[in-house]
Amino acid sequence: MKKIVVTGFEPFNGKSTNPSQRIVEKLMAPKDTVLVKKILPVAYKQAEEELIHLIEKEQPDILLSIGQAGNVPHISVERVALNLDCTRTSNGEGLFADAVGYQPIDVPVIPDAENALYATLPVWELVADIRKKNVPAAVSYHAGTFICNHVMYIGCHLTKKYPHMISGFIHVPFLPEQNPEKGYTMPFEDMLTALQTVINTLAGNL
């Protein structure tokens, strides 16, 4: 029996919903697969602690984390996680914070660890399979420096402790009803189709 842990995030920054949470709640376990679901807080340390505890408890074959990024119009299968937490805006003129007010600036996710880690999911195959469902998808080489990247880096680092496990991260756009002033949207049905396809592909590849 194969085991997949899939995580999403709680709503954040005044939003009433988070598509990653809704997706995780709707995902179905493929045949001969156990699907363990977890919704993480949008907070660096708390999300890390909950994820580590979950992996230690479940010791899955696959860890798939899902988050939201409104700056691209497609499903983004992340390739690289940086050993970097930074809440400074890219123009250097402002800061944002996680759900508990933490504002790291150029802080390593794990001190003295690798500068970057690669996802061990079959990223190109996942993109191809999503696109076969007529949902736009692409490989991304930058998961940012916020909680999503932090969770991805922790997940990839945990594969060293649990070498039987593969790990990676996928970003989805905004939902149309989130009505962002800036950013791209995608219907929830397309997001769910994409992520269910990912789960099905991963379950079949083990």
Side-chain angles (χ1 to χ4, degrees), residues 58-187:
E58 300 292 344
Q59 297 195 26
D61 300 290
I62 296 173
L63 168 61
L64 172 65
S65 297
I66 306 168
Q68 179 176 265
N71 60 341
V72 289
H74 52 253
I75 303 294
S76 298
V77 182
E78 299 295 344
R79 186 72 181 93
V80 183
L82 300 178
N83 189 11
L84 177 66
D85 291 338
C86 188
T87 53
R88 189 184 296 277
T89 56
S90 58
N91 62 14
E93 297 178 356
L95 287 175
F96 50 98
D98 70 6
V100 295
Y102 180 48
Q103 296 178 305
I105 300 176
D106 297 338
V107 175
V109 178
I110 300 177
D112 302 320
E114 296 93 330
N115 289 335
L117 292 173
Y118 294 118
T120 47
L121 302 183
V123 295
W124 292 108
E125 182 176 355
L126 296 179
V127 165
D129 286 352
I130 294 170
R131 291 171 65 89
K132 288 176 184 176
K133 299 293 185 179
N134 295 317
V135 178
V139 169
S140 166
Y141 293 100
H142 196 327
T145 60
F146 199 46
I147 314 297
C148 291
N149 175 78
H150 188 97
V151 164
M152 181 181 176
Y153 190 92
I154 292 297
C156 292
H157 193 267
L158 284 170
T159 63
K160 299 176 183 297
K161 183 176 181 180
Y162 304 103
H164 69 282
M165 183 180 77
I166 61 174
S167 179
F169 197 100
I170 291 179
H171 271 119
V172 299
F174 285 111
L175 294 165
E177 57 265 36
Q178 290 179 286
N179 192 27
E181 295 180 3
K182 296 180 180 179
Y184 298 95
T185 65
M186 178 180 287

Side-chain angles (χ1 to χ4, degrees), residues 36 40 54 62 101 108 155 184 194:
V36 179
L40 299 172
L54 180 64
I62 296 173
Y184 298 95

Side-chain angles (χ1 to χ4, degrees), residues 2 25 132 137 163 168 198:
K2 304 161 187 176
E25 291 171 348
K132 288 176 184 176
V198 168

Side-chain angles (χ1 to χ4, degrees), residues 179-201:
N179 192 27
E181 295 180 3
K182 296 180 180 179
Y184 298 95
T185 65
M186 178 180 287
F188 177 74
E189 293 76 13
D190 287 352
M191 295 184 190
L192 183 58
T193 294
L195 271 299
Q196 187 65 61
T197 298
V198 168
I199 292 294
N200 294 345
T201 295

